[in-house]
Amino acid sequence: MPQNSELIHSYKGVPFPTRVSIDQLSALDDFEAREDDVLLVSYPKSGTHWLVEILKNLYCCTAGQMTLTPPLEFQDPSKLCELRNLPGPRVIPTHLPQNMVPRQVHSKNCKVIYVIRNPKDTAVSMFHYYKQNPHLPTVQKWGTFLDLFLNGEVVYGSWIDHLLSWERAETNGNTLFVYYESLKKDLPKYVQEISSFLGLRVSEEEAREIAKRSSFREMKERVEREKEREKPEATHTVCALTSDRKLIFRKGAVGDWKNHFTTEQNSKFEALLGDRINSSELASNVEYEC
């Protein structure tokens, strides 16, 4: 049992950090969506901040503005109405499974971008995030954390359940699935794919420039410079569980799982998740190294 397990509670069978209040999760059906909203969805530690950076640069190059909101589930229920006055398009990050997002996201046909990262690297990244984050239970041993991850006993539950909730949903073509590993291999190509999905236009040259400004290395170096200039009490816009840039932007590597998984642990992963991953078209196309 992890230390400080009281930092986790459950809603509809899914574990959440206690900083996500049950009142807020219950209030989400009152959220007023707009047709130009863009929901940026991912399982934790799958590249949310990177996609935010890409979208910032994309909108800056084309549409001129976007409004990045705090994560949907980390809002104060009493302040949900404040989102009504924000200028659009609103880019709204969330780690929620499909059945927990506000109903109007679907009825208003909002655009959804879902970022998929291979679950082995995701597990490693989450382990380091848990290990040093005071707002999450303390799990010091990698093997202990991996068991929790495989059993869906970490925040936001099972990786494969989360992915399947979005893969199997009827979204009328309004959901774009993007692989983290593909972004690493050919970012300019996917900048153009994302821009087309959002109804924006960029040339090949503009896509290359956006990709350059949005690279993981550029982003990490920039936020480190910004950290040196900001006030001590400042917090990061997207991550509501920590403002520690070392936890938010660790390595961003593809294939780092091989430095953590033993042969036995890899076999256990395949035994517990292999069949379910193979039954999902999206999950079975994940790359585990580049």
Side-chain angles (χ1 to χ4, degrees):
M1 177 69 67
Q3 298 178 33
N4 304 321
S5 56
E6 70 277 3
L7 293 172
I8 300 291
H9 57 185
S10 179
Y11 180 74
K12 294 185 177 180
V14 177
F16 286 94
T18 51
R19 282 201 159 192
V20 176
S21 75
I22 300 301
D23 287 344
Q24 169 60 7
L25 291 169
S26 301
L28 285 178
D29 272 339
D30 295 327
F31 174 77
E32 294 185 11
R34 302 178 193 157
E35 292 180 355
D36 66 345
D37 283 340
V38 179
L39 209 65
L40 181 54
V41 185
S42 67
Y43 188 82
K45 308 309 296 177
S46 297
T48 307
H49 296 85
W50 191 17
L51 260 292
V52 164
E53 194 69 16
I54 293 169
L55 291 180
K56 282 182 179 179
N57 288 321
L58 182 56
Y59 276 103
C60 182
C61 178
T62 56
Q65 73 169 21
M66 57 159 261
T67 300
L68 177 64
T69 76
L72 189 60
E73 62 270 30
F74 283 92
Q75 301 279 346
D76 184 312
S78 64
K79 295 182 179 180
L80 268 180
C81 60
E82 294 180 7
L83 296 180
R84 298 174 186 168
N85 300 321
L86 295 177
R90 300 180 300 185
V91 173
I92 308 170
T94 184
H95 295 312
L96 290 173
Q98 188 274 340
N99 65 314
M100 291 189 193
V101 299
R103 287 186 294 241
Q104 285 196 17
V105 168
H106 307 298
S107 64
K108 294 288 183 67
N109 292 320
C110 301
K111 298 284 189 181
V112 176
I113 301 177
Y114 187 104
V115 191
I116 306 168
R117 187 182 189 186
N118 89 64
K120 295 180 184 179
D121 278 341
T122 300
V124 169
S125 187
M126 283 188 76
F127 167 61
H128 289 284
Y129 191 67
Y130 256 73
K131 192 176 179 181
Q132 301 179 53
N133 193 324
H135 301 300
L136 291 172
T138 301
V139 185
Q140 293 295 339
K141 294 184 178 180
W142 158 242
T144 301
F145 181 83
L146 180 59
D147 286 341
L148 294 172
F149 181 88
L150 292 174
N151 292 323
E153 296 173 1
V154 293
V155 288
Y156 294 91
S158 160
W159 177 89
I160 187 62
D161 284 348
H162 194 283
L163 176 59
L164 288 173
S165 76
W166 286 95
E167 180 178 18
R168 294 173 176 173
E170 180 56 57
T171 59
N172 300 317
N174 286 327
T175 299
L176 175 67
F177 294 97
V178 180
Y179 290 95
Y180 183 95
E181 295 74 23
S182 297
L183 294 173
K184 296 284 284 189
K185 291 173 76 171
D186 193 349
L187 186 51
K189 173 184 175 182
Y190 290 97
V191 166
Q192 288 194 300
E193 183 174 337
I194 293 169
S195 67
S196 177
F197 173 72
L198 296 176
L200 306 173
R201 291 185 179 181
V202 295
S203 65
E204 290 186 11
E205 182 178 351
E206 288 171 327
R208 287 193 295 269
E209 181 59 30
I210 292 169
K212 181 180 178 181
R213 296 202 305 266
S214 307
S215 70
F216 189 88
R217 177 181 294 179
E218 287 278 335
M219 177 181 65
K220 186 173 182 178
E221 290 177 353
R222 181 165 55 257
V223 295
E224 287 296 334
R225 291 194 299 270
E226 291 171 354
K227 181 182 178 182
E228 294 175 359
R229 298 193 298 267
E230 69 186 16
K231 297 178 180 180
E233 67 273 15
T235 57
H236 192 271
T237 304
V238 177
C239 188
L241 284 177
T242 182
S243 58
D244 187 341
R245 298 323 201 255
K246 292 181 180 179
L247 287 178
I248 299 171
F249 308 105
R250 195 178 70 89
K251 283 187 176 181
V254 176
D256 189 39
W257 65 271
K258 291 180 289 185
N259 298 319
H260 293 74
F261 277 69
T262 65
T263 301
E264 181 181 355
Q265 288 168 345
N266 197 47
S267 297
K268 181 185 289 188
F269 176 95
E270 296 298 338
L272 290 177
L273 293 185
D275 287 345
R276 298 195 69 203
I277 286 175
N278 290 335
S279 69
S280 160
E281 182 178 355
L282 290 173
S284 61
N285 286 330
V286 165
E287 296 182 53
Y288 288 88
E289 53 188 290
C290 283

